[in-house]
């Protein structure tokens, strides 16, 4: 459940603006459960996380536009028995559970941090 604080939007309470983040990430397919490489763009100012098939599709051909305010949870997760052990996993909940992954732990941690910062910032700016 989401909680909100109503009050004046005074600049001293404004969260710092996170960067726009662009990069490759793996997303588990819904039906075949295989990991598909996707290009993602996180734009806190617009309040969106946008998924593309490849970098050439940016910005005109998104596969999906996810409003950051609709993401209810994002966190690191352990690789289960059905997952590739070489990847580092992220669980994101937005209407359904998304499994994302990176090639290294630092990348996975940064995506989680940037998405969380983007959620805070875009929620504040609403």
């Amino acid at each position: 459940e989401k909680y909100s604080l109503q009050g004046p939007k005074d600049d001293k309470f404004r969260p710092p603006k996170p960067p726009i983040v662009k990069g490759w990430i793996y997303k588990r397919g819904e039906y075949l459960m295989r990991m598909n490489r996707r290009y993602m763009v996180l734009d806190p100012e617009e309040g969106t996380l946008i998924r593309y098939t490849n970098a050439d599709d940016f910005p005109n051909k998104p596969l999906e536009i996810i409003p950051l305010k609709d993401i209810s949870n994002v966190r690191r997760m352990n690789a289960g028995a059905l997952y590739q052990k070489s990847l580092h996993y992220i669980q994101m909940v937005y209407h359904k559970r998304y499994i994302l992954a990176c090639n290294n732990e630092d990348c996975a941690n940064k995506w989680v941090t940037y998405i969380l910062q983007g959620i805070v910032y875009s929620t504040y700016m609403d």
Side-chain angles (χ1 to χ4, degrees), residues 1-17:
E1 183 175 325
K2 291 186 177 181
Y3 298 94
S4 64
L5 174 66
Q6 297 295 320
K9 292 200 174 183
D10 190 324
D11 278 345
K12 68 182 173 184
F13 294 110
R14 176 188 296 244
K17 181 180 173 186

Side-chain angles (χ1 to χ4, degrees), residues 10-71:
D10 190 324
D11 278 345
K12 68 182 173 184
F13 294 110
R14 176 188 296 244
K17 181 180 173 186
I20 293 173
V21 179
K22 300 175 185 176
W24 292 100
I25 197 165
Y26 292 94
K27 181 191 171 289
R28 189 179 74 178
E30 277 187 66
Y31 304 109
L32 297 179
M33 303 299 177
R34 57 179 246 227
M35 299 304 285
N36 300 304
R37 190 169 181 243
R38 296 292 183 241
Y39 190 73
M40 303 282 273
V41 177
L42 173 68
D43 188 340
E45 191 72 45
E46 294 295 320
T48 57
L49 178 63
I50 305 174
R51 185 167 55 92
Y52 298 89
T53 300
N54 59 60
D56 294 336
D57 291 342
F58 172 75
N60 297 319
K61 293 166 49 179
L63 285 175
E64 181 176 31
I65 300 171
I66 300 170
L68 293 174
K69 65 182 178 60
D70 293 344
I71 297 172

Side-chain angles (χ1 to χ4, degrees), residues 77-124:
M77 63 175 277
N78 294 325
L82 301 176
Y83 299 108
Q84 291 173 249
K85 301 296 183 209
S86 62
L87 296 175
H88 299 266
Y89 292 90
I90 300 164
Q91 176 180 284
M92 183 175 79
V93 179
Y94 158 72
H95 300 301
K96 59 185 175 193
R97 189 174 88 149
Y98 284 78
I99 304 299
L100 307 172
C102 294
N103 287 321
N104 65 67
E105 187 174 9
D106 186 53
C107 176
N109 288 337
K110 284 181 179 176
W111 272 108
V112 169
T113 298
Y114 288 138
I115 292 169
L116 288 171
Q117 289 174 349
I119 291 167
V120 168
Y121 183 80
S122 64
T123 302
Y124 176 86

